[in-house]
Amino acid sequence: DGGITQSPKYLFRKEGQNVTLSCEQNLNHDAMYWYRQDPGQGLRLIYYSQIVNDFQKGDIAEGYSVSREKKESFPLTVTSAQKNPTAFYLCASSPRDGTDTQYFGPGTRLTVL
Amino acid sequence: GQNIDQPTEMTATEGAIVQINCTYQTSGFNGLFWYQQHAGEAPTFLSYNVLDGLEEKGRFSSFLSRSKGYSYLLLKELQMKDSASYLCAVRDLTGNYKLSFGAGTTVTVRA
């Protein structure tokens, strides 16, 4: 089955710890995205990548980092510099670039205690 | 940037019709998307409009007026499983084709 997977579904971390969220896709999509979703707000773009070994900051990149070493994988690290990391994190991909429809993974709910 | 507005909540009865409006302001409009999101799950793609007019897909239709900065999603013959949040998203070519999302409209279908 082709799709986007994110793991884990739920993640708990202590304040001050870095944490890495996984996103994998086997759709052969070139572009991948990370969004954050908070109650009462629209999805906000954290980082995106249109090609391997290249990525750009989105609207709220501070306190986050990413890598794109493989086409299939786009992990997101939430660092201790992120002031309010508790949120629902969604990964998406699209076939080529921003001109294509984006398809979303199931999400990871991160809670920082 | 974009200002995307949609109502926070709507309630309707099973079998009825509901229309979810979305207004936007953008400098380089390049398409409008509707997604459905059940609580705690991934948004799933419903429709895409880039030209004015109505796009119909089964029980769901989406309309766009670029001159008015306005779209709506029409859900017909409502079913209980349609209870979800509906997200309006606008693509802007001046922002490297990034998507900007509205906060979502939570639709509750009652028996």
Side-chain angles (χ1 to χ4, degrees):
Chain A
D1 266 33
I4 306 171
T5 57
Q6 292 184 242
S7 60
K9 179 75 172 172
Y10 299 95
L11 190 55
F12 297 88
R13 279 293 182 270
K14 291 184 179 178
E15 198 171 337
Q17 289 182 332
N18 290 358
V19 60
T20 297
L21 280 58
S22 165
C23 178
E24 304 278 330
Q25 54 95 3
N26 60 4
L27 300 168
N28 200 34
H29 285 179
D30 286 332
M32 297 185 75
Y33 311 81
W34 274 106
Y35 292 90
R36 171 184 171 135
Q37 188 173 36
D38 295 281
Q41 297 190 43
L43 274 68
R44 291 182 290 167
L45 182 65
I46 304 172
Y47 268 98
Y48 64 104
S49 167
Q50 297 192 350
I51 195 169
V52 174
N53 292 323
D54 188 45
F55 48 83
Q56 286 80 41
K57 292 182 179 179
D59 300 319
I60 55 164
E62 186 175 349
Y64 299 98
S65 66
V66 293
S67 62
R68 187 85 187 278
E69 297 175 3
K70 298 187 299 182
K71 187 175 185 177
E72 303 80 21
S73 178
F74 191 41
L76 173 75
T77 297
V78 184
T79 76
S80 56
Q82 168 50 232
K83 300 287 184 237
N84 187 18
T86 294
F88 189 46
Y89 289 88
L90 287 159
C91 178
S93 69
S94 62
R96 292 167 301 172
D97 54 26
T99 63
D100 285 325
T101 299
Q102 294 182 25
Y103 298 92
F104 287 85
T108 292
R109 186 165 298 281
L110 173 64
T111 302
V112 175
L113 306 170
Chain B
Q2 294 79 35
N3 293 319
I4 301 170
D5 292 312
Q6 50 182 132
T8 304
E9 294 180 335
M10 301 182 77
T11 302
T13 305
E14 198 173 12
I17 298 172
V18 70
Q19 177 174 315
I20 307 168
N21 296 326
C22 173
T23 58
Y24 64 88
Q25 294 175 314
T26 183
S27 49
F29 177 83
N30 191 253
L32 187 143
F33 296 79
W34 285 97
Y35 286 85
Q36 179 192 61
Q37 185 180 26
H38 286 97
E41 298 183 9
T44 55
F45 169 72
L46 287 179
S47 69
Y48 167 66
N49 295 71
V50 67
L51 299 176
D52 291 350
L54 188 68
E55 294 280 343
E56 297 188 81
K57 248 190 212 181
R59 293 188 299 115
F60 294 0
S61 304
S62 57
F63 172 82
L64 175 68
S65 169
R66 288 171 295 170
S67 63
K68 295 181 180 177
Y70 168 70
S71 172
Y72 67 73
L73 179 70
L74 195 69
L75 316 181
K76 293 179 278 190
E77 300 169 19
L78 279 171
Q79 301 175 10
M80 300 299 286
K81 67 178 181 179
D82 297 330
S83 292
S85 182
Y86 292 85
L87 313 179
C88 173
V90 173
R91 186 166 61 200
D92 186 340
L93 62 86
T94 63
N96 201 19
Y97 297 97
K98 288 187 291 184
L99 282 184
S100 293
F101 285 82
T105 299
T106 300
V107 171
T108 302
V109 180
R110 296 197 168 151

